[in-house]
Structures are given as structure tokens and as C-alpha cells.
Amino acid sequence: QVQLVESGGGLVQPGGSLRLSCAASGSIFSINAMGWYRQGPGKERDLVATINSGGIPTYADSVKGRFTISRDNAKNTVYLQMSSLKPEDTAVYFCKVTFRVPLVTGDSTFLEVWGQGTLVTVSS
């Protein structure tokens, strides 16, 4: 049974830093991409950052230069280092892990698994 466990959220002052972690367990399939999304009050869920299997990151314009996504393949974990936090960063942050599932045909399909979310509040 695949499960994503998120940690690291909390209350921080503007300009502060937080590090989010998301660990995947219970899967026999390989991991492809990993990413972080966030949803603020009354807003849609938006992409924050992704990192592919080769370690190449992609960021939303709003977090470029402030957030860093990384992964530890040995631990099946993705991290989001958040610095220079702003009140507008306040949201529930969700991690997403994409697993590659090999098929008997020789092709592959992909399974997306979401974490339950961790709340980040940036306020003075």
C-alpha cells in the first residue's frame, strides 16, 4: 500500500524558512517525477515545483529564487526548502509522487499519489 507522509509545515514569520519533506513508502514500483503543489484559502491548487527523475527542477514564477526542490532517491523522499517566505505563501502544501508501473505489453503507465497536505502559515 503506497503512502506519502508529509512533514515540516508550521507557522513562520515573513522572511523565515521552512523545509518540507515527503517520504513515499510501500511501493514496489520505481518513482518518476516528484512535485509540490499548494492551495491557499479559496484558491485553486497550483504547481509550486517539480523535479524529474534526472534531478532537473521546475518552479512556478512566484517562488523562483526562494524555493529549492530536491530528492533523495535512496530514501524515496522529496524536499522543498522554502526561504524568504511571504504571507502569500500561506497555503496547504501537497506533495505528489508519480510512479512508473510496467505493463506486460512492454509499455508503462503512471500512477500519481498525493500526500494529505501540510499547512504552512506565514504571518507576523
Side-chain angles (χ1 to χ4, degrees), residues 6-61:
E6 300 182 27
S7 63
L11 175 64
V12 65
Q13 294 183 340
S17 300
L18 283 175
R19 189 193 191 207
L20 305 183
S21 299
C22 176
S25 63
S27 177
I28 64 173
F29 304 118
S30 63
I31 295 175
N32 195 322
M34 302 181 182
W36 290 93
Y37 296 72
R38 67 186 181 186
Q39 186 169 15
K43 300 180 180 179
E44 298 180 350
R45 185 176 299 185
D46 295 323
L47 171 71
V48 176
T50 63
I51 184 167
N52 67 11
S53 60
I56 300 176
T58 300
Y59 299 98
D61 289 339

Side-chain angles (χ1 to χ4, degrees), residues 4-123:
L4 303 184
V5 180
E6 300 182 27
S7 63
L11 175 64
V12 65
Q13 294 183 340
S17 300
L18 283 175
R19 189 193 191 207
L20 305 183
S21 299
C22 176
S25 63
S27 177
I28 64 173
F29 304 118
S30 63
I31 295 175
N32 195 322
M34 302 181 182
W36 290 93
Y37 296 72
R38 67 186 181 186
Q39 186 169 15
K43 300 180 180 179
E44 298 180 350
R45 185 176 299 185
D46 295 323
L47 171 71
V48 176
T50 63
I51 184 167
N52 67 11
S53 60
I56 300 176
T58 300
Y59 299 98
D61 289 339
S62 60
V63 306
K64 286 182 178 178
R66 300 188 298 119
F67 291 11
T68 301
I69 188 171
S70 61
R71 61 191 288 170
D72 186 334
N73 292 332
K75 297 181 179 180
N76 294 326
T77 300
V78 60
Y79 305 94
L80 185 67
Q81 177 65 51
M82 305 183 294
S83 300
S84 301
L85 284 163
K86 305 174 181 179
E88 51 263 43
D89 295 319
T90 296
V92 177
Y93 284 71
F94 299 88
C95 67
K96 184 182 76 173
V97 177
T98 302
F99 296 88
R100 187 180 70 84
V101 182
L103 304 176
V104 295
T105 61
D107 297 321
S108 298
T109 190
F110 295 92
L111 174 66
E112 295 183 349
V113 180
W114 290 86
Q116 292 299 114
T118 184
L119 177 63
V120 173
T121 302
V122 184
S123 176

